[in-house]
Amino acid sequence: MDALLPCVIALLLPPLFLYLIISFMRNKNNNLPPGTRGWPALGENLELSMLGRLKFVKDRMEKYSPDVFQTSLHGERMAVFCGAQGNKFLFNNENKLVTSWWPKSMRKALMFPEFVDINVKQVSALKRSFHHDILKPEALKQYLPVMDAQARQHLDHEWIPNAVVKVFPLSKKYTLELACRLFLGVVDPEDIKSLADPLALAVQGMFSVPIDLPGTAYNRAIKGGKMVRQELMRIINKRRKELMMETTNESTKRPDLLSKMLLLTDENGQFFSEMEISNNLIGLLVASFDTTSSAVTAVINYLAQLPHIYEEVFKEQMEIAKSKGPNELLTWEDTEKMKYSWNVARESLRLMPPAQGAFRETITEFTYAGFTIPKGWKTFWTVHSSHKNPEYFPEPEKFDPSRFEGSGPPPYAFVPFGGGPRMCPGKEYARIEVLVFMHNLVTRFKLEKAIPNEKVVFHDSPRPLHGVPVRLHPHQK
């Protein structure tokens, strides 16, 4: 028996030592935000998937804290910041306490493998330099007639021949076609389809659990992303050859973003590589295919659902239409007159925000709302915790465009485009695209929802279960 004692002690010491270490670490960080890490390895990804992000966040705010709670998503310890104060804190501490971070599933699906493990901050900075001037108001003025012409063409071909249309898939088709035209200079339907089909796979799985097994969303996203990159590389190489054969004057007159990217050089006078250009173009295409199309869908959903709102938008848009010639395209000045329409669009984005928030990584330990957020943790700011908060928006479920009159909502409460240094650079692009489409739509049709109480599931973007089918009633000429 005495001989066995050392063996027993030797077996018990390691787990006891581990337990003491864990207990010590817990005591050391006993001021962490309240919450749970969920299942080993899986975290709370299953709960998020089943509940949707809106209910997931709401439940945990009620159970743990209305300011910040901890969870485990995408294989990472995460602090979820809530409300306008949480938004303000993260936006104002960009590159001070937190920095850019994307889930591995998103990086693996959408970026070239060579870029997956490099500093995301470097890619983000490169991306913003690549956006050049195409997303600024000065440049959008010259692209606005193109948007108007594209909207007219889309409605002629996809809407007018039908009595009932599904808004969600048609919005995706329209926004991607416009993005391909403006960003890539691509208008051929087959070329666009070669991007659209795999892009759908990549988008559907870009925030999934990173388990690369056949049949998983992550596996499909990786395959879709690879096909998107291959198609983009084909387009980029073809365009580079075309530019090499043109004179400098001809090349600089090309209006699309891809051509401008291919002519840009870095501080050393070197042209950017095809992979760098591709990675940044993918971001623009994803935004057009997913978030911008969701914004268009949200606006049309409420126009079809609320006749009194539609009538006010119709009056405003008809005043503009009557001031134009039969085939005269919209101008920047016309969109500046669409004040009520933009308030309707903003209220639509409040209730159905295209994106549900964004991730960051802590670069130093800090304290928020009395809780410690350790270095290396990931953070997430959430849209719905302010958009649906009665403190900022009385009767939050009520559709009321007047909320945006005068000084509008409190600062940091309305954040469909984010805020701070990393506010979405495509905000003005989305605004003009939505207003131009609204104008063309309401001046042609009166709208009626075919499924009045259609359910919308909120995951990484809102997903109407039936695609928002709408009956079209053409106006009498």
Side-chain angles (χ1 to χ4, degrees):
M1 186 70 180
D2 291 340
L4 289 175
L5 186 59
C7 296
V8 172
I9 293 174
L11 289 172
L12 290 177
L13 274 179
L16 179 62
F17 184 62
L18 181 60
Y19 173 78
L20 291 173
I21 291 176
I22 292 173
S23 298
F24 173 76
M25 294 304 294
R26 282 177 176 171
N27 291 330
K28 182 182 177 182
N29 290 323
N30 60 6
N31 207 32
L32 296 175
T36 177
R37 296 178 62 182
W39 297 91
L42 289 177
E44 291 201 287
N45 289 285
L46 292 179
E47 290 86 343
L48 177 64
S49 179
M50 290 187 291
L51 294 175
R53 198 173 295 275
L54 172 58
K55 183 166 175 50
F56 179 87
V57 171
K58 183 180 178 182
D59 287 354
R60 281 149 183 77
M61 286 178 66
E62 293 173 353
K63 183 176 181 180
Y64 299 120
S65 167
D67 300 309
V68 60
F69 62 86
Q70 72 161 293
T71 182
S72 178
L73 298 172
H74 307 290
E76 301 284 350
R77 295 288 293 272
M78 193 168 294
V80 178
F81 285 65
C82 306
Q85 289 304 311
N87 298 337
K88 178 181 179 180
F89 183 85
L90 289 181
F91 295 162
N92 289 342
N93 283 289
E94 184 75 39
N95 299 324
K96 300 173 186 175
L97 302 178
V98 296
T99 191
S100 214
W101 179 81
W102 303 329
K104 182 180 178 182
S105 55
M106 184 177 182
R107 287 178 281 150
K108 191 79 177 286
L110 298 178
M111 298 170 67
F112 273 90
E114 292 85 342
F115 283 78
V116 170
D117 295 318
I118 70 172
N119 190 324
V120 174
K121 185 177 177 182
Q122 294 174 355
V123 178
S124 300
L126 182 62
K127 179 174 163 184
R128 287 179 176 267
S129 70
F130 265 170
H131 283 156
H132 203 51
D133 293 328
I134 194 171
L135 299 179
K136 295 180 181 178
E138 297 77 20
L140 289 174
K141 290 180 181 180
Q142 71 181 90
Y143 290 106
L144 197 148
V146 179
M147 290 184 175
D148 192 13
Q150 188 84 16
R152 295 183 186 193
Q153 180 182 333
H154 173 78
L155 290 170
D156 286 343
H157 293 165
E158 306 290 346
W159 292 61
I160 286 180
N162 303 292
V164 178
V165 297
K166 285 193 174 184
V167 174
F168 192 44
L170 283 182
S171 294
K172 284 183 174 293
K173 189 173 190 297
Y174 166 69
T175 55
L176 184 61
E177 286 175 346
L178 182 60
C180 285
R181 183 172 182 174
L182 292 179
F183 300 150
L184 305 179
V186 171
V187 295
D188 185 276
E190 289 302 313
D191 288 338
I192 296 173
K193 182 173 173 54
S194 296
L195 285 168
D197 292 344
L199 193 59
L201 293 176
V203 167
Q204 288 166 9
M206 66 183 182
F207 290 113
S208 60
V209 180
I211 299 176
D212 189 6
L213 294 175
T216 63
Y218 182 57
N219 180 265
R220 291 193 296 271
I222 291 174
K223 291 178 179 178
K226 182 179 179 180
M227 287 187 283
V228 171
R229 294 192 298 269
Q230 288 174 342
E231 181 62 16
L232 275 178
M233 290 294 281
R234 184 189 68 79
I235 294 170
I236 292 168
N237 287 323
K238 179 182 176 184
R239 183 65 49 78
R240 192 184 286 279
K241 291 176 182 177
E242 292 171 352
L243 292 174
M244 290 175 65
M245 296 176 65
E246 294 175 353
T247 64
T248 302
N249 189 47
E250 289 174 327
S251 298
T252 54
K253 284 184 178 179
R254 282 182 176 262
D256 60 275
L257 182 59
L258 170 57
S259 296
K260 294 179 184 298
M261 284 183 175
L262 287 167
L263 296 172
L264 282 176
T265 56
D266 61 19
E267 63 274 10
N268 299 316
Q270 299 296 312
F271 290 107
F272 293 108
S273 72
E274 285 83 356
M275 284 194 299
E276 289 171 320
I277 292 173
S278 175
N279 276 334
N280 287 277
L281 285 172
I282 285 176
L284 293 170
L285 293 176
V286 168
S288 299
F289 185 78
D290 195 45
T291 53
T292 311
S293 62
S294 291
V296 172
T297 299
V299 172
I300 299 173
N301 173 73
Y302 288 109
L303 288 176
Q305 182 175 312
L306 304 169
H308 65 290
I309 298 295
Y310 170 89
E311 286 301 327
E312 292 302 313
V313 171
F314 176 70
K315 289 177 187 176
E316 182 175 78
Q317 295 297 345
M318 284 306 297
E319 285 297 315
I320 295 169
K322 289 173 183 176
S323 70
K324 313 291 290 183
N327 297 310
E328 188 179 353
L329 295 170
L330 291 170
T331 64
W332 185 267
E333 289 69 30
D334 293 326
T335 63
E336 292 294 289
K337 298 174 184 176
M338 301 178 185
K339 298 188 184 302
Y340 181 79
S341 297
W342 181 232
N343 285 346
V344 169
R346 285 193 281 186
E347 181 69 342
S348 301
L349 298 180
R350 181 184 72 82
L351 290 168
M352 286 179 62
Q356 309 307 295
F359 299 97
R360 298 288 186 269
E361 181 176 18
T362 64
I363 53 180
T364 185
E365 182 175 289
F366 61 85
T367 300
Y368 176 76
F371 299 109
T372 299
I373 314 297
K375 179 181 178 180
W377 271 38
K378 306 308 181 285
T379 69
F380 185 80
W381 61 265
T382 169
V383 172
H384 285 294
S385 63
S386 60
H387 282 201
K388 294 291 186 76
N389 192 324
E391 179 183 345
Y392 317 124
F393 300 99
E395 298 183 83
E397 296 298 334
K398 180 182 178 182
F399 192 94
D400 182 7
S402 69
R403 302 180 196 275
F404 296 91
E405 295 175 357
S407 58
Y412 303 99
F414 179 66
V415 288
F417 301 103
R422 296 202 54 74
M423 178 179 282
C424 174
K427 176 183 176 181
E428 279 298 301
Y429 175 87
R431 183 179 77 88
I432 297 302
E433 184 171 8
V434 167
L435 288 175
V436 167
F437 199 82
M438 286 176 75
H439 173 84
N440 283 283
L441 185 65
V442 302
T443 55
R444 292 176 184 229
F445 305 106
K446 188 174 178 65
L447 310 170
E448 177 190 0
K449 286 194 74 172
I451 305 176
N453 298 314
E454 180 181 6
K455 185 178 180 181
V456 177
V457 178
F458 290 90
H459 285 292
D460 298 302
S461 59
R463 306 288 177 189
L465 289 187
H466 303 285
V468 191
V470 167
R471 293 189 184 91
L472 304 176
H473 303 285
H475 294 304
Q476 298 298 321
K477 294 184 178 180

